[in-house]
Amino acid sequence: MTASSAFVGAPTLADEQRAVIELIESTRDHVFVTGRAGTGKSTLLEAFLAQTDRTVVVCAPTGVAALNVGGQTIHSLFRLPIGLIADADLDDAPHLRRLLGGVDTVVIDEVSMVSADLMDAIDRRLRSARARPREPFGGAQVVLFGDPYQLAPVPGRDEGERAYYADHYRSIWFFDARVWRETELRIVELQTIHRQRDEAFRHMLTAVRHGEVTPEIGRALNEAGARPAPNEGVLTLASTNATVTRINGRELARLPGDVKTARADVVGEFGGRGGYPADEALQLKVGAQVMFLRNDTAGDGAPRWVNGSLGTVERIGRTVFIEVDGESHEVHPATWEKFRYTYSSAQKRVTKDVIGEFTQFPLRLAWAVTIHKSQGQTYDSAIIDLGPRAFAPGQTYVALSRIRSLEGLHLVRPLRPSDIIVDHDVRRFMADAEPVIDRGSVVRVVDPE
């Protein structure tokens, strides 16, 4: 497999998305592709990887995010230490120089979770490995995907680390890395929302995203969310793992019959449990509500389910039968592959090799899921449980924006102004960008300081 063939076949694109791919392909500019929830950032990334002739490596800040895009974690790809890197020496092994020296474009998904320190370490690594110390990123193109209004970097608990950021950076965010003082970052903000069709609901979500919720919008959301939820078939999006575990455990225990456990088969180098894409030990009963973790890939017709579809367990044997929208489907275990990029001297190109496999039914119990794990999903309806309060920037926006329409919103408690949290550094970064029209898309350019 070549480095740029992570996906087979390109999905259907809107004109706006095609214009962004043309921008990336026709220039060597560094580009940040962002946009509101449901604007098709993931679809655009899949299409770019499927069609580009460039040598591309794809990475992400977490193991699960890397699996989702068929790439490596940032730390694994660039051989970087965990934690604060600062000015630590980064020794370039010969194989790393060959690998990174053969790359045209580096794609970083979920970049909003990348810290300024890590972004600068990527820059240093590329300059050194490519023997071009005076060029940002060693002359490689960097393409970033993500939405800082949804996911934030996780600050270190160490006081020394926090003090380092306070002394050396304007903020912890990737966009405040020192490398952006030397080179330009073009910000492409996708405008067309594909998830929600109702313009009024879109307007409400945009207000939540930017922290501009008026009393009228707050009242409309709370009135809609006060409707009783159906007794079955609705997922709860909760703010904490503890709430999700409690709800799923309680509902599973209510079902009659014995628990059946399917254990994953893990082969090769797959890392620890924190990077597994599904439960190592999946516990099911007949009647359990489950969520699919992979798109249906069988056959040439319309998919029977997609990643995020909800269903009910009908029968458990060597396979599992799941009822989805009134139809019964036999579900087999799926295999997730973990990749590593290498440079092939024989082929004179960067290749992507499978180094580990994780095989398990592509299901998880789904009476409840964390808001964080719902990232990227779409639901017809959901119950939103923010607990006593929302505690992270963008948390309420992510939860609300998973739902297709206002009619599918159910709130455990009314929203409060304190639940709408927007990071002030994100506001500043996006506000400083100068709007420019480019082939029908809004392209914003940030000039280096």
Side-chain angles (χ1 to χ4, degrees), residues 72 84 94-95 109 148 153 157 161 169 176 184 193-195 203 222 311 332 338 349:
Q72 279 185 254
L84 185 68
H95 74 276
D109 196 29
R157 297 181 180 180
E161 183 174 336
Y169 290 103
D176 281 326
E184 183 178 272
I193 298 175
H194 304 280
R195 181 175 295 149
H203 174 70
N222 283 330
H332 295 263
K338 187 170 185 178
R349 62 182 176 87

Side-chain angles (χ1 to χ4, degrees), residues 11 13 74 123 131 163 202 315 318:
L13 297 179
I74 292 170
D123 170 49
R202 288 178 179 176
R315 184 153 43 103
R318 296 183 68 85

Side-chain angles (χ1 to χ4, degrees), residues 107-139:
V107 172
I108 304 176
D109 196 29
E110 300 291 12
V111 72
S112 64
M113 299 177 69
V114 174
S115 69
D117 172 67
L118 184 55
M119 181 61 69
D120 278 333
I122 294 169
D123 170 49
R124 279 207 294 143
R125 173 64 86 194
L126 285 166
R127 292 188 199 221
S128 177
R130 294 167 66 88
R132 298 164 80 170
R134 296 185 181 277
E135 293 187 55
F137 302 109

Side-chain angles (χ1 to χ4, degrees), residues 345-364:
S345 298
Q347 301 178 49
K348 302 298 183 186
R349 62 182 176 87
V350 175
T351 62
K352 191 167 74 170
D353 306 312
V354 177
I355 62 167
E357 293 183 343
F358 180 97
T359 302
Q360 176 62 286
F361 289 102
L363 304 167
R364 73 157 51 103

Side-chain angles (χ1 to χ4, degrees), residues 294-322:
R294 293 272 294 262
N295 292 340
D296 175 29
T297 57
D300 298 325
R304 297 168 294 173
W305 62 78
V306 296
N307 186 7
S309 292
L310 295 179
T312 303
V313 177
E314 292 184 318
R315 184 153 43 103
I316 304 171
R318 296 183 68 85
T319 59
V320 180
F321 286 81
I322 307 293

